[in-house]
Amino acid sequence: MASHSAVLSVSRFMSPFWGGHLGNTVKVFGTTLTSHRTKVTLTRENIPPPAKYGGRHTVTLIPGDGIGPELLNHVREVFRFSCVPVDFEVVHVNSALETDDDMNNAITAIRRNGVALKGNIETKHTLPPSVKSRNNVLRTSLDLFANVMHCQSLPGVQTRHKNIDIMIIRENTEGEYSSLEHESVSGVVECLKIITRNNSLRIADYAFRLAREQGRQRVTAVHKANIMKLGDGLFLQCCREVASGYPDITFDSMIVDNTTMQLVSKPQQFDVMVMPNLYGNVVSNVCAGLVGGPGLVPGANYGQVYAVFETATRNTGKSIADRNIANPTAMLLASCMMLDHLKLNGYASLIRNAVLTTMNETRLHTADLGGQGTTSEVVQSVMRVIQSKGQLISEL
Amino acid sequence: MVFPPPARYGGRHIVTLIPGDGIGPELADHVQKLFRFCCVPVDFEVVTVDSTMASEDDISNAIVAVRRNGVALKGNIDTNHNLPPSHKSRNNLLRTRLDLYANVVHCQSVPGVRTRHRNVDIMIIRENTEGEYSSLEHENIPGVVECLKIITRKKSLRIADYAFRTAREKGRRRVTAVHKANIIKLGDGLFLECCKEVASGYPEISFDTMIVDNTTMQLVSRPQQFDVMIMPNLYGNVVSNVCTGLVGGPGLVPGANYAEDYAVFEMGTRNTGKSIANCNTANPTAMLLASCLLLDHLKLHAYASMIRGAVLSTITDTQLHTADLGGKGSTSDVVQSIMSAIQSTGPHTLGAYNKHIL
């Protein structure tokens, strides 16, 4: 299965430049993909729990920069305290280096373990443009094609809008993030935004399957097809094709500018949203802002075989690093999503309930929510709630 | 910036009027009525553009008319999805052929409209001719589409220069460039570089940058921190729509497109409003404020302030809010109220004609 993913990524990057040359090859890969897809229906349930020995899972941990290391330390603390059968394999990535060795090590570790939890890796602007964003390289190498973010209003957090429940599914590997740019004429830069039929069908399929699994009623495709007729037009067409196979789910489409305007006035109208990469970035940040900020929402990146969990808005948080004021909620909820993925649902609910209890009932809020709590206080409170449930914990 | 007042004969200006589709024609009608009522020395040359036709004759005529008169007021022209992709967006054609490089949307909280955020005052300056809207797409291999986003040094310098000059003229303190240069390193990197170069020539204005995703998140939590924002085309589209939503919706904000020699005024978020066309429920405020911007551009400041004052005083009367603001008022009621407000302030109006025309 891993080889298929590698082959897909090669064909995707090669095809625009090789024109008809690789045309036949692309078609062969295309048929391989479709037959592969029909053979194995890869919903999240069918992926075998990876790297499990003696009942314990091994998960790759990439601390990243900024607030990543301290938050992931807290995650490990909570896991140790709750006796979660997960061991972390820590892989550091130095964002100041120009070589790709660190990143390759990290990617190999994730291929080995199948699941990862990561902080955001900084993209240093002082390095030359040939040094691509590390996070992006990770997503494309592992073909983590779906970024799923679930924004829900939390009762304990005061926001201007209430009752928001939006699931955002964003294409994670192509679109504007292809990192294909060139300066043919000095002073004129062309950036390529790539939209392919394969990837659009794949993400639309994922979106509708997920909507059906979660019992959602409506999927909205966000696009700008009035201007980018071929590109977003292809994306819309693929969504419509897939939608015809799910008659129980309503499908509609909305232009991105109207979408963002509707989001700030009436976000309750949205249910599930599917969109290409850049619009996904903007829309997910708007939704995160609506439900209370970047410290609250976890995000997940799914591929055919791999899954990587992180905070939804991928902030490095350099300005608040190591000051014990970052909000650990997003990272803790991301770790719960990871536990669900590993089918350790009992532990996932335990930790998730503890986090939500701290947020909603104890109302222990960090600075980003307007409170006075520190990160460690919040984590302590979470652990106290877990302890009070009476389950096995390690003595600290 | 000194534009010569164009097409001025006998003290009267001629302005091209493109009604467009959806709510455009009825709102353009109201503008004409209001101008006649207030005796504004502006004559409108109406040029209709049929969006269902594939030929470019209509839009070429419109462009020639705008070149002739120098100034235009337009509604949004529908982009028909049933026509092939070679049929470009008419609004886009107008902007690129006239080189209307700067789109300015000024979002301000209006006292009479209740919104979740108060004291929002953001000026958004958006590059209007290149970026993602170059309409350059191709499909080399079936199933793989490449869209080109073009960023050029010349245009980035030009828009940055416009932004800083405008900020200086209006006494603004801070300009924020919105970008995604961590991913689109060359493209948005070039844009940022140009902004920094221009910023160095305006030491009294503080310049900073923000990535577009963080910007949109900050906008929905704390929009008061922003002053002037400058950005490429697509981010400008999204950010201006977010800000418009924050101050009360698409019916309230006017927009202006400026070139070296031309100026075209329209609603800030360029909505066609097909679903509410001809129902007498559209909010005329945005179009009327756009016409005030037009009058300011023609240096007819007295008329501009008069109409603007009347529009804003009508908005504070919540009884007259249209459906988009949560009220039950109709478009004609609002326009009537504006006219009465103008009449009561005393200047010369077509008092006797009232009962016949309206």
Side-chain angles (χ1 to χ4, degrees), chain B residues 95 99-104 124-133 150-152 154-160 191 229-237 270:
Chain B
R95 291 192 291 266
D99 202 23
L100 296 164
Y101 66 90
N103 176 260
V104 181
I124 299 162
I125 297 169
R126 158 190 178 186
E127 212 292 328
N128 215 7
T129 50
E130 56 171 18
E132 297 82 350
Y133 287 44
I150 315 278
I151 303 270
T152 56
K154 219 171 65 151
K155 292 196 180 178
S156 304
L157 282 174
R158 191 168 62 163
I159 192 67
F191 181 80
M229 300 168 85
I230 172 182
M231 56 202 92
N233 218 330
L234 184 70
Y235 312 145
N237 187 7
R270 301 173 179 165

Side-chain angles (χ1 to χ4, degrees), chain B residues 136-324:
Chain B
L136 293 165
E137 303 178 281
H138 51 266
E139 194 171 354
N140 282 334
I141 295 177
V144 178
V145 175
E146 292 178 355
C147 314
L148 284 131
K149 161 178 167 164
I150 315 278
I151 303 270
T152 56
R153 191 171 173 70
K154 219 171 65 151
K155 292 196 180 178
S156 304
L157 282 174
R158 191 168 62 163
I159 192 67
D161 198 46
Y162 182 90
F164 279 91
R165 264 185 298 139
T166 310
R168 180 176 267 176
E169 274 170 36
K170 311 264 181 194
R172 301 288 210 163
R173 289 297 157 80
R174 181 176 161 221
V175 172
T176 308
V178 178
H179 65 97
K180 189 76 190 166
N182 50 343
I183 301 285
I184 308 181
K185 292 173 185 250
L186 285 187
D188 288 352
L190 176 61
F191 181 80
L192 265 192
E193 208 185 279
C194 296
C195 290
K196 284 192 183 108
E197 272 183 45
V198 175
S200 57
Y202 292 80
E204 79 274 15
I205 299 175
S206 62
F207 171 70
D208 54 26
T209 65
M210 202 183 268
I211 299 184
V212 63
D213 50 16
N214 192 19
T215 307
T216 45
M217 186 152 60
Q218 299 285 333
L219 273 171
V220 296
S221 28
R222 215 165 45 90
Q224 296 80 4
Q225 59 180 301
F226 295 104
D227 192 0
V228 178
M229 300 168 85
I230 172 182
M231 56 202 92
N233 218 330
L234 184 70
Y235 312 145
N237 187 7
V238 171
V239 168
S240 58
N241 273 267
V242 172
C243 292
T244 304
L246 293 174
V247 299
L252 292 180
V253 187
N257 305 283
Y258 295 105
E260 295 284 2
D261 305 312
Y262 312 114
V264 176
F265 301 89
E266 56 178 353
M267 294 176 49
T269 46
R270 301 173 179 165
N271 299 90
T272 322
K274 275 183 292 189
S275 55
I276 53 170
N278 299 322
C279 299
N280 203 15
T281 53
N283 194 337
T285 309
M287 195 58 100
L288 291 171
L289 288 177
S291 63
C292 295
L293 289 177
L294 170 83
L295 292 172
D296 273 323
H297 181 81
L298 295 174
K299 310 226 181 305
L300 296 169
H301 299 294
Y303 292 103
S305 332
M306 181 173 79
I307 297 177
R308 188 175 288 128
V311 171
L312 293 177
S313 67
T314 306
I315 273 284
T316 55
D317 181 0
T318 47
Q319 299 289 63
L320 278 175
H321 279 183
T322 40
D324 61 316

